[in-house]
Amino acid sequence: MKTDLYPFLVGVLFFTLMVGCSPNPVTGQKQLVLISTQQEIALGADAAPQFEDQLGGKVPNRTLQNYVSSLGRKIAAQSERKGVPYEFALLASDVPNAFALPGGKIYVTAGLMRRLTHERQLAAVLAHEVTHVAARHNVMGIQRQLGSAVFVELAGWAAGEDKKKAAQAAAQITTSMFYLRYSRSDEYEADKHGLRYMTRAGHNPWGMVELLETLQRLNDSEPGLLGEMFRTHPGTGKRIEQVKEIIEQDDSYRRYRNRRPATARSPRFNRMLKLLE
């Protein structure tokens, strides 16, 4: 090992011991988190412009952006993690997907929104992504993907004043997000706690089931269309069963015990879809 790496690695170890073992804000379980919330926010803020550009940029309609943002903020207000500035945007890509950058920037694509049939399904998408941020799933995933030392270094670059290094960190995080694959346990947590958030925000939790069923149908009929989404958000069959079980057995959802199918689009959601035409 080169001796000039020792100070850096010692610093990583020290930071790990001081900051690393912290409780997951959502589950309460211990997590080995190697960066601070401020560094996490900086990573997401630096990566956002490149990330948005690669997905066609923001849809240039203020009404649509305000709609998605308003829906998302009400859901995020229900989460246990209050120290990040949750932000929501609709991106122009026609590829169905949704993403949560470190630090609370959450995106849904126009391609996914067009394939939904009710506002509660969009609420489910946003609640799922809010949980990824609240539980630090994306931070932990990138940390595993890049390796501890590289991840800590990039976080330092993002929070520093060197614009060239900040741009390099942004490019690396953007690439990592496109190739990040959440674990099944992460996905189950995002479904389970997303249900809580969306229901507390006033949405019928069956929207989560409908969302997953929609994705499964799309994948069955057009497998290539959802290839990217199923790379970052694996498997839906088991998740559908688990979400149904929660709604049907958890007393928190007693009032929704008998499924209430969305027979028609909600008026507001229908108006928003027309703006996407």
Side-chain angles (χ1 to χ4, degrees):
M1 181 182 294
K2 294 181 180 180
T3 55
D4 60 354
L5 287 180
Y6 278 118
F8 176 69
L9 294 177
V10 169
V12 170
L13 177 60
F14 178 77
F15 193 83
T16 298
L17 293 174
M18 294 297 292
V19 180
C21 293
S22 59
N24 181 311
V26 178
T27 67
Q29 297 176 344
K30 291 291 185 179
Q31 287 179 313
L32 183 61
V33 182
L34 300 180
I35 65 172
S36 67
T37 296
Q38 289 71 26
Q39 288 175 313
E40 177 188 344
I41 293 169
L43 277 174
D46 285 351
Q50 292 184 32
F51 190 85
E52 292 169 9
D53 285 347
Q54 291 191 35
L55 288 168
K58 294 180 180 178
V59 172
N61 185 297
R62 182 174 297 180
T63 300
L64 277 168
Q65 295 296 348
N66 288 343
Y67 170 68
V68 172
S69 181
S70 175
L71 202 64
R73 286 198 307 270
K74 289 177 183 177
I75 291 167
Q78 314 307 316
S79 80
E80 293 81 3
R81 193 177 184 199
K82 307 300 183 182
V84 294
Y86 292 95
E87 297 177 23
F88 302 83
L90 181 65
L91 300 183
S93 173
D94 196 46
V95 178
N97 217 329
F99 297 90
L101 290 180
K105 291 184 181 295
I106 292 171
Y107 301 104
V108 59
T109 66
L112 178 56
M113 185 170 169
R114 287 191 186 100
R115 289 166 174 86
L116 304 181
T117 59
H118 200 278
E119 182 172 282
R120 68 194 194 189
Q121 297 161 16
L122 179 58
V125 174
L126 299 176
H128 183 96
E129 298 302 324
V130 164
T131 308
H132 282 320
V133 173
R136 301 192 185 100
H137 291 157
N138 47 13
V139 172
M140 297 296 291
I142 297 173
Q143 183 174 290
R144 288 191 302 268
Q145 185 172 290
L146 295 178
S148 299
V150 172
F151 186 57
V152 171
E153 186 174 21
L154 290 176
W157 289 359
E161 297 182 0
D162 188 322
K163 293 183 179 180
K164 183 177 180 180
K165 285 189 173 182
Q168 290 174 331
Q172 187 82 324
I173 295 302
T174 298
T175 300
S176 297
M177 281 303 306
F178 278 113
Y179 289 96
L180 179 65
R181 183 179 178 90
Y182 290 114
S183 68
R184 287 194 178 276
S185 62
D186 287 346
E187 289 298 88
Y188 179 60
E189 279 188 12
D191 292 339
K192 177 182 177 181
H193 298 290
L195 274 179
R196 287 196 296 114
Y197 299 159
M198 66 180 290
T199 304
R200 288 176 181 175
H203 301 281
N204 188 317
W206 283 101
M208 184 73 76
V209 177
E210 294 163 0
L211 168 66
L212 294 173
E213 290 175 340
T214 296
L215 295 179
Q216 189 170 57
R217 284 194 300 271
L218 286 171
N219 192 53
D220 290 342
S221 61
E222 302 178 70
L225 181 66
L226 291 180
E228 182 177 306
M229 187 168 198
F230 279 106
R231 183 180 67 237
T232 55
H233 295 71
T236 56
K238 183 64 175 176
R239 289 168 58 197
I240 291 172
E241 294 176 13
Q242 290 173 324
V243 172
K244 284 182 177 179
E245 184 176 326
I246 292 171
I247 298 173
E248 292 168 350
Q249 296 185 12
D250 189 325
D251 284 345
S252 301
Y253 305 100
R254 186 184 300 111
R255 61 176 293 199
Y256 300 104
R257 193 65 38 87
N258 294 319
R259 185 171 182 175
R260 303 177 184 181
T263 56
R265 290 172 175 162
S266 56
R268 182 168 66 159
F269 186 72
N270 193 46
R271 291 197 300 273
M272 295 303 110
L273 285 181
K274 288 185 180 299
L275 294 177
L276 273 178
E277 292 177 355

